[in-house]
Amino acid sequence: MKLNDELTNAIASVTEAAAIAAMPWIGKQNKNAADDAAVSAMRARLNSLNINGEIVIGEGEIDEAPMLYIGEQVGNGKGEKIEIAVDPIDGTRMVATGENNSLAILAAGFEGSFLQAPDMYMEKLIVGKQAAGVIDLNHCLEYNLDAIAQTLNKSLEQLTLAILDKPRHHDIINDLRSKGINVITLPDGDVLASLYATMPNNSIDVMYGIGGAPEGVISAAIAKALGGDMQARLITRDIAKGNTAENREFAVSEIARCHKMGTDVNIKLSLDTLVRNQDVMFAATAITAGDLLSGVNQQSQYLQTHSLVINGSTHSLRYIENYHLR
């Protein structure tokens, strides 16, 4: 089975609906309200589609925000069996503060396409097509950067890495910069960093860091569709957020939930484990303006949205500009 244009356009309309719903919350300092609006709009649009859909990895538990929950059935049940990995807003804080580069995103594929895992943290290493096949998360980051640089015929000083600007990454960032590596830091939104690393004609060579597992599976769909590569590990909260009694207790439940879903923490997950089918798609609609896409633009009689759709069946990437009558 292939992802036809009708299905890809329908899936893209879901992120458009979420972006439009989140737009009124830009700059309002309430990221949960923005997420709630995006979730509600995304759920309503999904349930209007001719699909027999299931959320296989969703968002919300890490941020204590409303979510499309794992196992939730969506669609009207009349069409193809579709799996969905979703993050209604990649960058809720950016919406709340009115900063650039917040996106409504999801990935979709046929039954059996995606890793099923809890909403927890994930270590990720992602490269584009030219460096596919050379990364190995069982080795240190420096080993991988050397391998990537050699494959791209670059020196380490010519390599550019994208990473989230989080306390857990600060020592890594400082170490990489001391070695002369160009480091681009993003406040939030590691799916955007994954896009930068895998899209053609982009200046980012590699994305690395610990972020959310839903975003990781979505990033894996991007890498799969565009011929890139990714490896990952599920990381418990005590490792990602600090070795406190509360985080250790939470980690016990994360490990149990992983085992229930047939996976485990702290083991290397290949791209083929994360995404098992080439026929996957990714859709993103900008909420706030950014380097890649323009945000939702409010006009007197309509709202203008800008989206990106990547189709693994055709290895294609296209931009969509839509006008929505108010």
Side-chain angles (χ1 to χ4, degrees):
M1 291 185 291
K2 300 292 184 182
L3 292 162
N4 58 39
D5 286 342
E6 181 181 359
L7 182 56
T8 55
N9 288 337
I11 293 297
S13 74
V14 176
T15 57
E16 289 178 339
I20 289 171
M23 185 268 292
W25 293 100
I26 294 173
K28 298 294 179 61
Q29 302 293 329
N30 192 335
K31 69 176 187 176
N32 282 357
D35 208 33
D36 191 21
V39 167
S40 297
M42 191 171 269
R43 177 180 284 120
R45 181 59 185 151
L46 280 168
N47 286 332
S48 74
L49 301 183
N50 292 321
I51 59 171
N52 182 4
E54 180 182 356
I55 307 297
V56 295
I57 186 162
E59 65 89 45
E61 295 173 15
I62 288 177
D63 296 324
E64 298 180 355
M67 63 177 162
L68 282 153
Y69 61 85
I70 296 168
E72 181 174 351
Q73 303 299 304
V74 294
N76 62 18
K78 297 179 181 179
E80 300 277 5
K81 287 189 175 181
I82 298 293
E83 290 185 348
I84 296 167
V86 63
D87 186 4
I89 301 179
D90 186 39
T92 51
R93 190 188 62 78
M94 280 111 79
V95 175
T97 58
E99 295 180 50
N100 289 349
N101 291 319
S102 60
L103 303 169
I105 58 173
L106 66 74
F110 295 112
E111 189 176 21
S113 292
F114 298 126
L115 172 78
Q116 296 194 27
D119 181 11
M120 56 189 295
Y121 286 94
M122 179 183 277
E123 181 184 16
K124 312 160 195 179
L125 180 63
I126 304 170
V127 294
K129 186 174 183 178
Q130 287 183 297
V134 305
I135 58 174
D136 187 347
L137 205 52
N138 282 338
H139 290 288
C140 66
L141 181 58
E142 186 174 357
Y143 171 94
N144 281 282
L145 295 180
D146 282 334
I148 294 166
Q150 289 180 31
T151 301
L152 298 179
N153 196 27
K154 291 184 175 183
S155 67
L156 278 177
E157 291 76 14
Q158 293 173 314
L159 209 62
T160 301
L161 176 142
I163 190 169
L164 293 181
D165 188 6
K166 301 292 184 182
R168 59 182 173 268
H169 295 148
H170 286 173
D171 287 344
I172 296 171
I173 292 168
N174 291 335
D175 181 61
L176 294 176
R177 285 178 171 162
S178 73
K179 293 180 169 66
I181 296 169
N182 302 313
V183 179
I184 305 298
T185 58
L186 301 174
D188 287 295
D190 59 359
V191 173
L192 180 63
S194 302
L195 273 168
Y196 285 149
T198 50
M199 287 178 65
N201 301 321
N202 207 292
S203 59
I204 304 296
D205 299 303
V206 54
M207 180 270 177
Y208 174 76
I210 295 174
E215 293 90 339
V217 173
I218 293 170
S219 296
I222 297 168
K224 189 83 166 184
L226 293 179
D229 199 3
M230 174 176 174
Q231 292 187 0
R233 285 194 192 94
L234 293 166
I235 300 294
T236 51
R237 183 175 292 223
D238 57 325
I239 295 174
K241 297 285 283 184
N243 189 22
T244 66
E246 181 182 3
N247 287 342
R248 287 195 299 272
E249 182 179 353
F250 201 90
V252 172
S253 69
E254 289 176 323
I255 293 169
R257 285 154 57 214
C258 282
H259 291 170
K260 186 176 181 180
M261 293 183 183
T263 188
D264 208 347
V265 301
N266 298 326
I267 60 170
K268 182 177 72 175
L269 303 170
S270 69
L271 180 59
D272 288 339
T273 300
L274 295 163
V275 178
R276 304 181 183 96
N277 192 328
Q278 182 65 45
D279 298 317
V280 293
M281 69 157 293
F282 164 81
T285 303
I287 303 167
T288 56
D291 302 326
L292 196 60
L293 295 165
S294 300
V296 179
N297 184 15
Q298 186 171 357
Q299 305 291 336
S300 59
Q301 296 182 352
Y302 59 85
L303 294 170
Q304 183 182 20
T305 57
H306 293 86
S307 304
L308 171 68
V309 177
I310 299 172
N311 189 329
S313 296
T314 57
H315 300 284
S316 63
L317 180 156
R318 62 190 170 99
Y319 293 92
I320 300 174
E321 182 179 293
N322 268 347
Y323 297 83
H324 310 263
L325 293 176
R326 301 179 65 190

